[in-house]
Amino acid sequence: MDFKAIIDSLVSTSCIMSVEKLPDDEIGEIRIVAANKRYKQDFSSYYDGILYTELFPKERKFEHFVFTAAIKHKQIHTYIEAKVINMWMDQVYIPLESDRDDTGYCIFSYELTEKADPDRLGNVTMDTASSVIKSCAVFRTADSFKSAVDEVVKEILEKCGAERVSVVSIDEATNGVRYIGGIARSRDEETRGRDIEDIPPDVVKTWDKTIEKSNCLIITDESDMKSLEERNPAWAKSMTEAGVQSICFVPLQQNRKTIGYLYVVNFDTDRTIEIKELLEHTSFFLAAELANNNLMEKMKELSNSDMLTGVMNRNAMNIRVDEFVSRLELRCRPYGVVFVDLNGLKYVNDKYGHEAGDQMLWSAASIISSVFGDDEIYRAGGDEFTIITTGKSEDEFLDKISKLRDKTTYPSEITMSIGYFYSSGGDDIRIAMRNADILMYKDKEEFYAVHPELKSRKI
């Protein structure tokens, strides 16, 4: 076959690749056997028969594309972000006939764009387009972000013939990952999906670095896993221990920053190209939805958090009380209410300034959290805190009250007046709160009755 005549007839930047087929369909050497003038202009060190890795870094995904076109005789079109050159690349792989069983040939042709071209991005198969449009519709009509994610990953699971599909987000506070949603064909796989949250942040931070020169990570066989092991042994080890045999791992990016990942595990590797296309295009709108959900969660957190102490604020408490009033199943369960009033805050503010008073409030919240850390703590007012406990027996509840008293009884630097009410079920929480408030003020009166001299001192 006259490779030179073929390649010189093409207008776009093009070359002809040869790929060696090893036993068990392993990928051998990949060489560029011929190139047209435009291709040679891009690579001054080019010569016919050059190993492709002499021109640009080894890329397993690219090797899969060449192998699929040249050996499996499948034409491929893809539009990807070539991060190595900071450009977008519209690629076409066209199979060519070969007279050898151990070597295949294909044309590799590409065009570059500086920015992502929406028209090119939208040039996908009808099957991919249908799935992506359906997923977009799910997010527009779902009751919640979580339910939409669950519906979308269910669709992806079936399309990919995978064992597991997961969506995770990057936790900005810890640099670890947070499990958003997923689906698996077995309970073991579902557990493994959630176990991703246990991966140390130091390992998570290496993911982006490992795939920074590509737009996703694809592993389809042992050779791919060995390649990953050379670049990131900790990640490869965690995958192997989790039973990963194949994976397509796609970053979810917003403003060029990775905010999460979408990935499928143990999928139908015969359909790697289609699965990559589906996940990459799904990731575009999924990243936008995740970013929006993160923003909404942050706004909710800000609206429900007390910025000084870090506990929840009165607004969050009112919402929670409304839930108890409107939902029978909540008020019919055992629960406890604690009212806490900080002694001496006004004196500290007047004598030492509000900065000292703020420190006193922060310290008080820390003490309360040390005892009621697994319960709901609210700053209800200036020097008042409210605690709501659920799922505790009365003995457990009273034990916590006792521990809080031990930490805040005179002559402790910070003292508190405490009132509480425990309901074994069925009591109106508003009445419970009123009773706790009455006991709290009674406790304060008794405290000053014993220590009247402390009314004008720092407590």
Side-chain angles (χ1 to χ4, degrees):
M1 185 178 296
D2 189 348
F3 290 141
K4 187 176 186 309
I6 294 173
I7 208 65
D8 285 343
S9 68
L10 300 179
V11 176
S12 59
T13 306
S14 306
C15 67
I16 293 179
M17 318 285 299
S18 72
V19 57
E20 184 183 12
K21 178 185 176 183
L22 301 178
D24 298 324
D25 275 357
E26 292 287 326
I27 302 174
E29 288 186 345
I30 297 179
R31 295 180 178 272
I32 305 172
V33 297
N36 65 6
K37 185 177 180 180
R38 293 188 65 173
Y39 191 94
K40 292 176 182 178
Q41 287 174 344
D42 288 346
F43 300 99
S44 59
S45 59
Y46 171 82
Y47 60 88
D48 288 347
I50 189 173
L51 286 168
Y52 91 92
T53 50
E54 293 184 47
L55 298 181
F56 48 93
K58 182 180 179 67
E59 171 57 61
R60 290 293 294 181
K61 186 169 57 178
F62 172 74
E63 292 182 356
H64 277 295
F65 287 171
V66 173
F67 188 85
T68 300
I71 301 299
K72 298 184 178 180
H73 302 121
K74 292 183 179 179
Q75 183 166 319
I76 300 169
H77 171 251
T78 184
Y79 185 55
I80 65 169
E81 183 180 11
K83 295 184 178 180
V84 175
I85 57 176
N86 198 29
M87 301 278 280
W88 281 78
M89 183 177 285
D90 197 340
Q91 301 177 341
V92 177
Y93 301 77
I94 302 173
L96 294 175
E97 288 292 338
S98 173
D99 55 3
R100 297 178 55 179
D101 292 334
D102 62 347
T103 304
Y105 300 93
C106 72
I107 295 173
F108 171 54
S109 179
Y110 66 85
E111 293 182 6
L112 298 175
T113 61
E114 291 186 4
K115 297 180 179 180
D117 183 340
D119 289 336
R120 296 176 191 251
L121 282 172
N123 187 10
V124 297
T125 64
M126 287 297 295
D127 194 39
T128 295
S130 176
S131 293
V132 172
I133 291 171
K134 179 180 177 181
S135 296
C136 288
V138 167
F139 273 98
R140 297 282 73 80
T141 58
D143 293 332
S144 67
F145 174 73
K146 178 67 170 61
S147 64
V149 170
D150 289 343
E151 186 66 26
V152 168
V153 296
K154 182 179 179 181
E155 169 85 1
I156 293 174
L157 185 80
E158 297 304 322
K159 290 285 185 181
C160 299
E163 289 185 7
R164 183 172 82 241
V165 183
S166 298
V167 178
V168 297
S169 69
I170 301 297
D171 189 323
E172 291 184 358
T174 66
N175 288 320
V177 293
R178 181 165 59 98
Y179 182 80
I180 298 297
I183 188 171
R185 295 189 186 276
S186 68
R187 186 175 296 275
D188 287 344
E189 284 298 318
E190 184 176 352
T191 301
R192 285 171 175 170
R194 294 181 182 276
D195 284 348
I196 195 170
E197 291 189 345
D198 298 329
I199 296 177
D202 288 345
V203 175
V204 174
K205 284 191 286 189
T206 66
W207 293 351
D208 246 11
K209 184 71 175 175
T210 301
I211 59 178
E212 67 177 352
K213 294 179 180 178
S214 180
N215 54 348
C216 68
L217 172 74
I218 297 178
I219 291 176
T220 62
D221 52 32
E222 291 183 5
S223 295
D224 291 342
M225 189 66 79
K226 288 178 183 177
S227 176
L228 176 64
E229 190 174 359
E230 293 172 359
R231 293 175 290 152
N232 193 328
W235 195 8
K237 181 182 177 183
S238 69
M239 285 193 189
T240 302
E241 291 175 347
V244 174
Q245 297 171 330
S246 62
I247 188 170
C248 186
F249 194 87
V250 181
L252 302 176
Q253 295 190 323
Q254 183 75 357
N255 297 326
R256 306 188 76 83
K257 177 183 178 182
T258 299
I259 60 173
Y261 297 94
L262 164 66
Y263 61 96
V264 298
V265 172
N266 298 339
F267 58 89
D268 180 2
T269 55
D270 289 336
R271 299 175 50 244
T272 299
I273 306 300
E274 301 99 294
I275 289 169
K276 170 186 174 293
E277 180 182 74
L278 173 62
L279 263 61
E280 286 182 342
H281 283 77
T282 301
S283 74
F284 293 141
F285 77 84
L286 183 55
E289 295 290 346
L290 177 59
N292 182 63
N293 183 69
N294 289 346
L295 178 61
M296 295 300 293
E297 285 187 346
K298 196 164 190 177
M299 291 175 64
K300 181 179 179 181
E301 181 182 349
L302 290 173
S303 68
N304 290 333
S305 296
D306 179 61
M307 302 305 294
L308 173 63
T309 62
V311 301
M312 290 180 281
N313 60 19
R314 188 178 187 87
N315 179 60
M317 184 184 75
N318 290 338
I319 293 172
R320 185 60 166 153
V321 170
D322 288 343
E323 287 181 350
F324 267 86
V325 172
S326 62
R327 294 171 58 186
L328 180 64
E329 71 272 17
L330 283 178
R331 64 176 180 269
C332 286
R333 298 173 186 171
Y335 68 89
V337 175
V338 187
F339 269 42
V340 175
D341 192 273
L342 191 57
N343 295 327
L345 178 63
K346 185 177 186 304
Y347 178 85
V348 171
N349 279 331
D350 292 343
K351 185 167 184 178
Y352 299 104
H354 286 279
E355 186 174 337
D358 288 348
Q359 179 61 43
M360 189 177 183
L361 281 165
W362 185 88
S363 298
S366 297
I367 293 171
I368 295 171
S369 296
S370 71
V371 178
F372 290 92
D374 57 346
D375 298 301
E376 303 166 29
I377 305 171
Y378 306 89
R379 184 182 173 197
D383 58 358
E384 297 177 357
F385 294 86
T386 300
I387 307 154
I388 299 177
T389 72
T390 56
K392 302 285 192 308
S393 68
E394 186 170 7
D395 287 342
E396 291 173 318
F397 177 69
L398 294 177
D399 182 59
K400 288 194 171 190
I401 298 294
S402 177
K403 288 179 179 178
L404 185 60
R405 286 196 186 281
D406 289 343
K407 288 175 178 283
T408 60
T409 297
Y410 183 83
S412 299
E413 183 178 356
I414 293 178
T415 64
M416 300 176 183
S417 298
I418 302 171
Y420 58 88
F421 184 90
Y422 183 83
S423 171
S424 57
D427 295 293
D428 189 323
I429 193 171
R430 293 167 295 188
I431 296 175
M433 294 175 78
R434 184 162 66 245
N435 289 335
D437 190 40
I438 291 171
L439 288 177
M440 184 269 291
Y441 277 106
K442 182 180 179 182
D443 190 47
K444 183 177 282 290
E445 289 174 0
E446 291 176 354
F447 175 83
Y448 284 123
V450 177
H451 304 287
E453 75 284 1
L454 298 180
K455 285 187 177 182
S456 59
R457 287 183 50 196
K458 177 186 177 183
I459 304 301

